[in-house]
Amino acid sequence: MKFPRSSGVLLHPTSLPGRFGLGTLGDEAHRFVDYLAESGQRYWQVLPLGPTSYGDSPYQALSAFAGNPMLIDLERLVQEGWLAADDLSDAPAFPEEKVDYGWVIPYKTEKLRAAFARFEATAGAEDRQRFEGFCHGSMAWLADFALFMALKDHFDGASWSSWDQPLRDRHPEAVTAYHRRLEPQVRYHAFLQYLFFSQYTDLKRHAEARSVAIIGDLPIFVAYDSADAWSHPELFHFDSKGHPTVVAGVPPDYFSETGQLWGNPLYRWDALARTGYAWWIERLKMALTLYDVIRVDHFRGFEAYWEIPAGETTAVKGRWVKGPDRAFFDALRREMGELPIIAEDLGLITPEVEALRDGAGLPGMKILQFAFGSDAQNAYLPHNYRSSHCVVYTGTHDNDTTEGFFAQAAEEERAFFRAYVGSEAEGVSRALIRMAFASVADLAVIPMQDWLGLGSEARMNVPGQAADNWAWRMTSADASSALGASMRELAELYGRSKVRVSAELAAR
């Protein structure tokens, strides 16, 4: 796809302000859309919105289709009558600048269960009809997911591979028996999805009304302990007991001598090809009901992926295996037409990966924090962008903030940065933002932390670190009118806003 010359902000909804411990899809999200629109920004990029599990990573979701119930806004449930105002009077003094998941999740879960109980006891015919209509329309994925979640509750969170063998292997009589036995719990989890998608649909409509498009994030792999792996084992390299035989990761490189062992199950691309990639097509169609554009994470895995034998403790003993390559994207295009996809083409990128990206007509990513570690030939330096068909970032959710990056960079890197930029008068973050906006890249996306000029304390994720990730939050005061005016000024100055730069600004 081809973007108009424009700009946007990267911010996960959990990082929004709010009184219940983490950001939601409620009023603060609607206000953030307004803020983007008024600041001349045309895109809001988010991280994956699926239900998280251990570690709270949005990249290890319990489903590739479902939404995260923790993003449901409780105050909107009061407005809808599923909670009373008094139900929220016991809200603790949650931290404003960090998500404490261990505190937030039990509190919100208690309130969501109360909302479901009130719905079951008091909902009228019209509300029940809407709920049942949602369930019917989402049956292709919701039936398996809601049962999967009810079963995880029943088995105290144990992985599906440890369930009783008939249930693990989805014998029809076992699935039917447990569905009957756990019917209230199954219905509860379906209700949470109904609430999530109702609130998200309202937010999406509001964004459309303000001409703000949403960029979603789609991990290439699914989590092993997920409804997808349990309900479609034939699509993955599993043994007869449901255990992976090979898992995903990336090989050793400059940054890690043992590589990265992600542990996700790997696809049986031959089995997917025999169905015309039906599961992936349904996944993408579902994602495009949520997002206007999708960033596909680890794009290089479609050309070739690093396969590691299950049981290894590092990624060293892996091998490259050919992926589905162009046949996959040809199948998607035949079914869906133009693909509104950004290829996350970072890491070890070969000419074959570049050929796949370009052959599919997809824009790749340019990360400015990567631009100063070598010399003038560095591909991430703006003067080396071969065309405008790309998306430029100061950094991503996996990088440190720009201020944090610069504070820890080698002196040679800092010296190159100073020489390239010419001045540090604006500060490091603002200098890279200006560089991104001035570049030929069609779209510039800036993490909110960089707009705020924050240091490493605001970093969203440290890859390979098991705890203390995904926790940063902005405050209501951060989205100031002064910052919004500055964002809009740069968007206008560099032709990334619908509004042309004013004569007054041009004369400065």
Side-chain angles (χ1 to χ4, degrees):
M1 70 167 295
K2 180 74 173 174
F3 288 101
R5 186 168 174 82
S6 52
S7 58
V9 172
L10 170 59
L11 181 81
H12 196 47
T14 58
S15 295
L16 289 165
R19 60 181 281 223
F20 297 105
L22 84 171
T24 70
L25 304 175
D27 290 350
E28 290 289 355
H30 287 248
R31 279 192 281 270
F32 187 68
V33 166
D34 292 338
Y35 186 75
L36 292 176
E38 292 157 8
S39 302
Q41 307 306 302
R42 298 172 66 181
Y43 290 89
W44 177 8
Q45 182 169 330
V46 300
L47 305 183
L49 298 178
T52 57
S53 183
Y54 177 77
D56 308 301
S57 171
Y59 293 88
Q60 293 288 341
L62 292 161
S63 168
F65 293 82
N68 187 354
M70 291 300 109
L71 292 175
I72 295 169
D73 187 71
L74 298 180
E75 290 174 316
R76 294 212 161 202
L77 298 187
V78 173
Q79 297 169 18
E80 293 161 10
W82 310 132
L83 289 174
D86 287 348
D87 290 332
L88 305 182
S89 62
D90 62 348
F94 290 113
E96 292 186 357
E97 298 181 355
K98 183 176 182 179
V99 181
D100 185 336
Y101 288 99
W103 197 3
V104 169
I105 292 173
Y107 178 82
K108 289 204 72 169
T109 299
E110 175 190 339
K111 302 307 176 186
L112 293 172
R113 289 193 178 278
F116 175 63
R118 183 161 298 181
F119 176 88
E120 290 289 76
T122 67
E126 186 175 342
D127 285 316
R128 292 184 186 277
Q129 186 176 17
R130 278 198 290 264
F131 173 46
E132 298 300 336
F134 167 79
C135 292
H136 179 74
S138 308
M139 185 64 66
W141 64 267
L142 182 61
D144 283 327
F145 172 74
L147 178 57
F148 174 82
M149 293 301 295
L151 288 165
K152 283 193 71 67
D153 291 343
H154 179 74
F155 291 112
D156 296 323
S159 172
W160 62 269
S161 62
S162 69
W163 298 346
D164 298 340
Q165 183 266 330
L167 189 58
R168 180 197 72 195
D169 295 343
R170 293 180 58 86
H171 291 182
E173 64 276 10
V175 170
T176 300
Y178 269 96
H179 192 284
R180 289 172 179 165
R181 180 178 177 183
L182 301 177
E183 197 277 336
Q185 274 294 96
V186 173
R187 189 170 168 83
Y188 163 69
H189 286 288
F191 179 70
L192 296 188
Q193 293 306 302
Y194 168 67
L195 295 179
F196 173 91
F197 283 99
S198 296
Q199 292 191 2
Y200 186 86
T201 298
D202 285 345
L203 177 61
K204 183 70 160 54
R205 287 173 179 161
H206 182 66
E208 289 170 353
R210 297 306 311 267
S211 298
V212 173
I214 298 178
I215 301 174
D217 198 323
L218 199 74
I220 183 175
F221 300 121
V222 302
Y224 173 60
D225 193 18
S226 67
D228 313 288
W230 175 61
S231 59
H232 294 285
E234 73 282 0
L235 301 182
F236 303 93
H237 285 284
F238 292 155
D239 64 19
S240 60
K241 295 183 178 180
H243 298 133
T245 57
V246 288
V247 296
V250 289
D253 57 17
Y254 175 81
F255 299 100
S256 173
E257 62 182 15
T258 59
Q260 295 180 39
L261 178 61
W262 297 337
N264 304 77
L266 289 171
Y267 297 107
R268 288 185 55 204
W269 285 111
D270 58 341
L272 282 159
R274 285 194 293 271
T275 69
Y277 304 101
W279 182 87
W280 259 98
I281 288 170
E282 289 308 308
R283 185 185 184 194
L284 286 167
K285 285 181 176 179
M286 177 67 179
L288 288 174
T289 67
L290 297 175
Y291 314 120
D292 300 286
V293 181
I294 303 167
R295 188 197 86 129
V296 176
D297 196 42
H298 197 58
F299 173 81
R300 73 107 50 246
F302 292 107
E303 192 280 321
Y305 54 89
W306 190 246
E307 179 187 273
I308 306 162
E312 291 292 322
T313 56
T314 73
V316 172
K317 295 181 179 179
R319 63 172 187 147
W320 286 110
V321 177
K322 189 69 175 176
D325 207 63
R326 187 63 182 268
F328 174 72
F329 290 96
D330 287 345
L332 298 186
R333 193 177 298 278
R334 284 194 299 271
E335 181 71 23
M336 304 174 66
E338 183 183 18
L339 302 174
I341 289 174
I342 299 169
E344 187 271 288
D345 54 347
L346 309 176
L348 181 60
I349 303 304
T350 63
E352 291 81 5
V353 177
E354 293 179 343
L356 176 61
R357 178 199 64 205
D358 296 344
L362 307 179
M365 294 173 58
K366 304 293 185 182
I367 310 300
L368 291 179
Q369 286 185 23
F370 297 166
F372 306 100
S374 54
D375 56 24
Q377 305 308 311
N378 189 302
Y380 293 105
L381 288 168
H383 70 261
N384 289 323
Y385 297 174
R386 290 181 293 175
S387 79
S388 64
H389 192 49
C390 60
V391 184
V392 62
Y393 298 76
T394 49
T396 74
H397 64 279
D398 280 336
N399 298 118
D400 203 340
T401 66
T402 292
E403 296 292 337
F405 147 76
F406 192 76
Q408 299 177 50
E411 183 53 41
E412 295 83 358
E413 208 167 352
R414 295 192 205 184
F416 188 10
F417 169 85
R418 294 187 189 102
Y420 195 87
V421 171
S423 170
E424 286 185 63
E426 285 189 305
V428 175
S429 294
R430 188 51 64 97
L432 278 201
I433 292 171
R434 185 179 291 276
M435 190 183 300
F437 272 55
S439 77
V440 298
D442 289 331
L443 175 60
V445 177
I446 310 299
M448 192 65 185
Q449 294 97 314
D450 284 353
W451 277 116
L452 295 169
L454 300 177
S456 296
E457 75 282 353
R459 183 169 183 167
M460 194 63 169
N461 180 50
V462 180
Q465 177 177 294
D468 298 323
N469 287 322
W470 321 110
W472 177 76
R473 298 179 71 198
M474 63 183 284
T475 66
S476 297
D478 287 335
S480 67
S481 57
L483 176 59
S486 178
M487 293 165 73
R488 186 174 189 86
E489 180 177 301
L490 284 182
E492 293 181 4
L493 178 62
Y494 293 109
R496 296 188 179 276
S497 173
K498 292 179 179 178
V499 182
R500 292 185 178 181
V501 61
S502 66
E504 177 185 352
L505 179 59
R508 290 183 189 176

